[in-house]
Amino acid sequence: MTEPLSRRGPDDAGTWIDEGARVALGFRRLAILDLSDAGHQPMVSRDGQLAIVFNGEIYNHAELRAEVSRDRETRAWAGHSDTETLLECFTAWGVAKTLERAVGMFSLALWDRAARRLYLARDRFGEKPLYYGWTRGAFVFGSELSALRQYPGFDNAIDRNALALYTEYACVPAPYSIYEHIYKLEPACVLTLPLAAAERAPSDAPFAPAEGAFTIDRYWSLADVARRGMSDPLRDEHEAIAQLETVLAEAVRLQSIADVPLGAFLSGGIDSSAVVALMQSQSSRRVKTFTIGFEEAGFNEAAHAKAIASHLGTEHEELYVRPQEARDVIPELPRLYAEPFADASQIPTHLVSRIARRHVTVALSGDGGDELFGGYTRYSWIPRIWNRIQVLPAPLRRALGGAIQQLPVPVWDALGRGVSSRLGTMRLGDKAHKLAHRLQHVSDLDDLYRSLV
């Protein structure tokens, strides 16, 4: 099961088996912190009670290590890996408290030999993947579906409901996977599985786990954070900008801690440019940056990236990709991503990763910026549209949707070209027809938003 992960973990491999419990852990390692054997996984706690496989990085692990050392008498640390820090924290504080205090990106499996209980956990935003489920009377888990498929006799069928969700949302949303009885652990969640419940797949997992089978608990909530922020918002723009820069700079600093070469993907857009600017301001060396370019002007961001790289003084590398090179990636996509998602960015992401890997082991990017800072036009346009149409009775909304659809897409596009600079939108015809369809079917603001994604 670890072999399909070897391209992601080329530096080390290990397995650990608790024969008495018929529990096995396997790992492929990409060494980032503590490149020595002291970072080898699976790793067992000092008292032999806990065993862990951990994918990711805990950015505040030095702080956690210092604190847990004060809380309990610890023998000399074997190394300086964040995995060892996590194990000691789990032993001292328990699973929930440790995860609440850990800052980082991760997925992990923790086996408690005394309690005969398995824990699976995932970071707050789900940066690191984690699949789990049942096949042929066994509970299996891993970072990729390709690992789960290696379990002997794996024969889980394609989940037709998940396939329908894929066609609706252009991805298979958590907690579903493309296979029946295999699921994604949702972000900021911990799954607790007693050994006695490992062999049978609940028919309603993971939505209403049967009592005594397993539990899924959320240790952090984005909604709670947002509500607290809205209850006491920042009123001063300059204060907000200063605090934002402080937070972003600290995040970049923590994520730049590595014992291996580090770089960044640079598209020339706001998000990746901000990350690279903060990286370069904190580095005594020129940051290595990487960009994919295309000969087709409508798709090419390389010129913008080159200008930013020149301004910031980074060590910049760009690769111009011909159409055939992009097409050559397509047959590789099922192997790379294990289940389908319909975003064309998967092709240039793979290509830029491939060129970056020749020079660095870790790369930062601007992914998530539009989601976090409301960068997509739908975030501003949907409330404005809904505020205008919610006063209309449902029959009138349906009539309006039908009227919008009477104008063909090319006509709307022509109108859009005349006002696109003011509206900040492209492909107006496609968006207008999508909106028209929603006007005929949606009932509230949340419904409108979900329908548009």
Side-chain angles (χ1 to χ4, degrees):
M1 290 176 70
T2 64
E3 185 57 33
L5 307 177
S6 60
R7 72 183 188 283
R8 290 176 51 203
D11 300 326
D12 191 17
T15 56
W16 180 90
I17 300 174
D18 186 342
E19 294 284 4
R22 296 178 65 238
V23 171
L25 303 177
F27 195 72
R28 295 292 312 211
R29 186 183 183 206
L30 176 68
I32 297 172
L33 291 176
D34 194 345
L35 310 187
S36 72
D37 290 341
H40 176 80
Q41 295 189 50
M43 187 179 291
V44 180
S45 62
R46 301 164 193 263
D47 60 10
Q49 179 173 323
L50 302 178
I52 191 173
V53 282
F54 163 72
N55 171 35
E57 190 172 353
I58 304 299
Y59 303 127
N60 66 333
H61 93 95
E63 174 188 327
L64 296 178
R65 176 172 288 209
E67 189 170 344
V68 78
S69 296
R70 291 192 299 268
D71 284 359
R72 55 191 269 120
E73 291 185 12
T74 56
R75 298 191 299 274
W77 295 89
H80 64 273
S81 75
D82 46 359
T83 310
E84 186 182 11
T85 304
L86 267 184
L87 265 181
E88 193 67 29
C89 291
F90 284 138
T91 301
W93 303 333
V95 173
K97 184 178 178 183
T98 298
L99 293 176
E100 288 168 4
R101 304 181 72 166
V103 176
M105 55 173 183
F106 57 85
S107 62
L108 63 87
L110 181 75
W111 170 242
D112 188 327
R113 302 179 77 178
R116 296 172 75 80
R117 188 175 293 142
L118 178 73
Y119 299 93
L120 301 181
R122 199 169 175 207
D123 63 64
R124 288 169 174 78
F125 283 91
E127 290 184 66
K128 290 298 183 183
L130 183 51
Y131 295 87
Y132 71 92
W134 289 263
T135 184
R136 304 188 68 83
F139 182 81
V140 293
F141 55 90
S143 292
E144 290 188 10
L145 288 173
S146 57
L148 274 60
R149 286 201 300 263
Q150 292 301 308
Y151 185 83
F154 181 94
D155 60 355
N156 295 43
I158 296 294
D159 186 332
R160 298 292 169 172
N161 291 324
L163 194 60
L165 288 170
Y166 167 66
T167 61
E168 186 173 357
Y169 292 105
C171 66
V172 180
Y176 299 94
S177 88
I178 199 66
Y179 291 112
E180 292 180 356
H181 306 304
I182 302 293
Y183 307 98
K184 301 181 183 80
L185 185 63
E186 292 190 76
C189 285
V190 181
L191 182 150
T192 306
L193 178 78
L195 183 64
E199 293 186 356
R200 51 190 172 86
S203 59
D204 52 0
F207 307 102
E211 187 175 349
F214 69 97
T215 59
I216 297 177
D217 300 296
R218 192 172 296 278
Y219 65 87
W220 180 85
S221 167
L222 175 60
D224 288 346
V225 174
R227 277 191 287 268
R228 286 197 297 271
M230 292 174 70
S231 67
D232 185 23
L234 289 169
R235 304 288 182 185
D236 182 85
E237 180 180 3
H238 298 291
E239 181 187 359
I241 291 171
Q243 286 196 28
L244 175 61
E245 183 168 358
T246 299
V247 170
L248 287 179
E250 178 65 2
V252 169
R253 184 188 71 80
L254 289 172
Q255 295 185 51
S256 299
I257 298 172
D259 296 332
V260 293
L262 182 80
F265 297 160
L266 180 60
S267 69
I270 293 172
D271 303 324
S272 65
S273 299
V275 169
V276 172
L278 291 167
M279 286 180 73
Q280 190 60 74
S281 70
Q282 300 172 22
S283 176
S284 57
R285 301 179 179 179
R286 295 171 66 194
V287 171
K288 295 180 184 293
T289 52
F290 305 92
T291 297
I292 288 290
F294 297 94
E295 300 295 344
E296 294 77 7
F299 296 93
N300 187 36
E301 298 175 324
H304 304 296
K306 189 173 184 178
I308 294 293
S310 175
H311 174 71
L312 296 175
T314 70
E315 185 179 326
H316 190 60
E317 179 163 338
E318 60 183 16
L319 173 68
Y320 272 78
V321 177
R322 294 185 297 275
Q324 186 56 49
E325 291 176 285
R327 285 195 292 268
D328 288 343
V329 176
I330 294 173
E332 294 293 305
L333 295 179
R335 182 181 65 83
L336 295 172
Y337 295 106
E339 71 177 3
F341 74 103
D343 191 327
S345 68
Q346 58 192 297
I347 294 176
T349 297
H350 171 67
L351 291 170
V352 73
S353 299
R354 202 161 66 187
I355 65 164
R357 189 63 180 94
R358 301 171 192 163
H359 306 276
V360 299
T361 305
V362 177
L364 303 190
S365 77
D367 280 3
D370 285 309
E371 289 81 3
L372 189 60
F373 294 102
Y376 294 125
T377 54
R378 61 174 174 265
Y379 292 137
S380 57
W381 276 95
I382 288 175
R384 279 191 252 174
I385 292 169
W386 183 252
N387 287 340
R388 285 166 172 76
I389 66 172
Q390 66 175 333
V391 297
L392 300 177
L396 196 53
R397 287 205 301 268
R398 288 194 290 270
L400 178 60
I404 291 173
Q405 289 177 321
Q406 292 303 306
L407 276 183
V409 169
V411 175
W412 279 110
D413 284 342
L415 292 171
R417 282 191 291 273
V419 293
S420 62
S421 59
R422 183 165 58 87
L423 292 178
T425 186
M426 297 172 61
R427 297 187 298 111
L428 184 61
D430 182 46
K431 293 180 179 181
H433 274 242
K434 282 184 178 180
L435 175 62
H437 177 74
R438 271 67 184 191
L439 286 173
Q440 296 171 311
H441 297 93
V442 300
S443 57
D444 58 34
L445 178 61
D446 288 343
D447 198 17
L448 176 60
Y449 176 78
R450 278 192 298 270
S451 72
L452 284 169
V453 297

